[in-house]
Every structure is written in structure tokens, then in C-alpha cells.
Amino acid sequence: MIWMSWRQFRLQALVGALVLGALAAYLVVTGLDIRDAHDGYLAQCRATGDCAAALGRLVGDHRTRLLLLAGVLGLVPVLIGMFWGAPLIARELEAGTHRLAWNQSVTRRRWLAVRLATVVLAAMLVAAVASALLSWAAAPVDTIAGDRFGTVNFGARALSPIGQAAFATVLGAVTGLLMRRTLPAMAVSGLLVLVTLFAVPNAVRPHLMPARHETRPMTAETIDAAHGLGTLGSAPVLKGIEVPGAWVTSVSDLLTADGRPLDPGVFDDCLMRAPKTGATGTFGDSSPCLAAHDLHLDIAYQPNGRFWTFQFLETALYLLLTALVSALALWRIRYTSR
């Protein structure tokens, strides 16, 4: 049974191996380039004594390429779900070849379990290799940038891609089992995996562990350090607030000394009609105007030191979902007509 499953899967496995080989070669070259650049910048900065600026340029030089690579690897579970998972059962049901196996001594559940196990293990292996290579290639930049919890970066590093690949495979297989048509199952499974990969980092990941909290007084200098001030509706918010060495999960509106949100009218006055003070910061006269109201922010964040804990928790979540969806498939196969 295992040998038969492998023979039926070997073409997809060969294509996957070729793609993985090409990706691995590119990641090795990228990693070596980054390390050469890192050594070069260190040599320069030791002469000038300004290593922070030099290493900052290293991050700027390679950030975009690494972000694109992380985005590409983030689509690997989608492709696995579409091209490995969805056809796994749907193609058999559509062509009627499942009847041959079901008329032998092999039970339906054993047939399905072996098929799933074969492809799931292959998917996890591909994801593990790709993730390990990207993590190695990006290590010098990740260490300097400290952006370990970035939405795209986190999902393409370390352990999480392995859980994503396993879940995408069984989700695609169950979609094919229920729809019994290969092409519609591929489209639907790809969409479902995309929705899951969007929902987990935005709706689930911030709550895997209780966040730490910080109250930050809003001085003019602190306001000018933000990335944005207000919204289209003139809501009293600061955008792009950062905590060094941490992932900021939520930031409150601007709050007054008694903990109430700042009146939008007061905020709009400071934004549009601030008294002239000659301030030269990012937001000009608006910053000292707001600072004069004794404001603060409540910030929730996760320290970078929790990176591996979050990786384990998120991977465990994906594996739990994999087990639940697999159980659904094993239950449903009993009632699938021949």
C-alpha cells in the first residue's frame, strides 16, 4: 500500500524536488552574498567607528529581497494544498480508480490514511528544507533588524511553515473528498488555505500568549517618532508605534490623564489649527499642541524573546488542525459512495 501510494505520488514529488532544488540553490547564493556584505560592512565600520549605520545599510540593501522571498515561501502551503492535497482523493473519485483499492483487502480508512501520510510527510519535508534555508540565509539581517515577529517573516521561518504545509495538504485532500472534482477542489482548497494563512497571524497569533503592557507618555518627541498621525476620519491615533526588541500587537487611541480617549475635536484642532510654535519635528506644531494635553498610550506587545515559544505554539495549532481535519476525512470516507 505504501509503495503504491508512493508510485502514484512520484510525479508530483519529482516536480516538487526540482522546484525545491532551484529554490535551495538561490537561497544558498543569497545567504553567501549577505554574509559577504556583512563582513564588508563590518570591515568598513571598524575603521570609521560607526557600525550601527553600516549595519543599518546592510539591512536596507537586503530587506526587500528577503521580504519577497518570505512572501514566495508563504505561498508554498497554498500550492501544496492545491497541487498535492486537492487531487489526492478527488482525482481517484473522479476517475473511479478508487474502486480497485476498495475491492481489495485494504480498508477505506487504511487506504486514505496511507495516502495522507505519504503526502503530508513529503509536504512537511519540503517546507522544513525551504524554511531552514531561508532562516539561514536571512540570519545576519534578522539579527540586526530584530523584526522576528513580522507577519510575513514569522510565517516563513523556523517551524511554522512545517505545520502550515501539513494542514494545507489534509485540507486540500478533504476538500477533494467532499467535492469529488479535481479542478474545483484545487481552486477551493487554495482559497481556504489563503484565508487560514491570513487569519492565523492576524486573529490568532497575537493571543497565543498574554501580552505585556506599557503606558507611554506622549511628549512632543515621542509623537514625532511615530510613523503617522491620525486617520482619514481624524481619529486620535498614532500609527507605527514601536517597542524596541518587541512585536507591538495593539496600541490604544490617545488617552487623557484620566484614561479617556482624547476628544476628536481637540485632536482635529491640534492637527489642523495648532498654535504656531516653530516646532520642526515630523508633525510640526501639532506635536507640542497634543503634548500639552498630558496624553498617553496603552501599548500591548510581545518581546522578541518569545519568538520560539510562539513558533512552537503556532506549529502545534496547525498540527492540531491537521489531526482534526484528518479525523474528519477518515470519518467521511466511510460514507463515500463507490
Side-chain angles (χ1 to χ4, degrees):
M1 188 63 201
I2 296 175
W3 175 245
M4 179 61 69
S5 297
W6 166 249
R7 282 179 62 86
Q8 291 177 308
F9 178 63
R10 62 185 177 180
L11 180 58
Q12 293 109 306
L14 177 60
V15 173
L18 292 174
V19 173
L20 180 61
L23 179 62
Y26 183 77
L27 287 172
V28 168
V29 171
T30 298
L32 294 175
D33 286 345
I34 290 174
R35 281 158 176 77
D36 288 342
H38 182 266
D39 293 342
Y41 276 122
L42 281 180
Q44 294 176 17
C45 77
R46 288 186 181 120
T48 62
D50 189 9
C51 285
L55 294 178
R57 289 194 295 272
L58 173 69
V59 174
D61 290 346
H62 296 280
R63 185 192 297 273
T64 301
R65 176 163 58 160
L66 291 174
L67 189 62
L68 288 174
L69 280 170
V72 169
L73 291 185
L75 292 176
V76 167
V78 179
L79 299 176
I80 286 175
M82 291 178 64
F83 292 98
W84 286 10
L88 185 65
I89 309 301
R91 185 172 52 201
E92 299 273 4
L93 297 176
E94 195 171 27
T97 53
H98 63 290
R99 297 188 183 95
L100 177 61
W102 292 3
N103 285 323
Q104 306 300 316
S105 60
V106 178
T107 65
R108 294 185 182 192
R109 285 184 171 179
R110 182 183 173 192
W111 173 81
L112 178 59
V114 172
R115 300 297 304 278
L116 284 176
T118 301
V119 183
V120 166
L121 290 175
M124 293 174 71
L125 177 61
V126 167
V129 172
S131 172
L133 286 170
L134 178 60
S135 299
W136 169 81
V141 174
D142 287 347
T143 300
I144 298 166
D147 186 23
R148 309 197 77 188
F149 278 104
T151 300
V152 177
N153 290 336
F154 185 92
R157 306 282 204 277
L159 301 175
S160 184
I162 302 173
Q164 295 170 22
F167 173 70
T169 303
V170 296
L171 183 61
V174 170
T175 303
L177 174 63
L178 297 176
M179 299 188 70
R180 303 176 67 99
R181 293 292 183 269
T182 303
L183 291 179
M186 290 173 67
V188 171
S189 61
L191 178 61
L192 291 175
V193 175
L194 269 177
V195 169
T196 303
L197 295 183
F198 176 81
V200 168
N202 291 284
V204 179
R205 187 183 299 160
H207 308 290
L208 290 176
M209 290 185 67
R212 292 183 181 177
H213 293 269
E214 171 185 311
T215 298
R216 183 174 297 181
M218 289 292 101
T219 64
E221 293 77 12
T222 305
I223 294 172
D224 282 329
H227 296 173
L229 182 60
T231 63
L232 292 176
S234 294
V237 298
L238 287 183
K239 294 179 286 188
I241 297 297
E242 297 179 354
V243 174
W247 167 39
V248 175
T249 56
S250 68
V251 178
S252 69
D253 289 353
L254 288 167
L255 303 175
T256 59
D258 58 2
R260 297 180 181 179
L262 178 65
D263 184 273
V266 174
F267 179 78
D268 189 59
D269 284 341
C270 282
L271 199 62
M272 307 301 297
R273 295 172 290 276
K276 301 298 180 182
T277 62
T280 58
T282 306
F283 303 110
D285 295 320
S286 297
S287 298
C289 177
L290 290 170
H293 290 279
D294 190 21
L295 304 175
H296 67 274
L297 290 177
D298 288 337
I299 304 170
Y301 66 95
Q302 298 287 354
N304 280 347
R306 294 180 175 180
F307 173 81
W308 281 106
T309 303
F310 270 81
Q311 282 283 338
F312 279 111
L313 290 173
E314 186 165 307
T315 304
L317 171 64
Y318 279 118
L319 293 179
L320 175 61
L321 292 175
T322 300
L324 292 175
V325 176
S326 298
L328 172 63
L330 292 171
W331 170 81
R332 184 66 180 85
I333 197 71
R334 296 177 56 190
Y335 304 99
T336 301
S337 62
R338 295 190 179 187

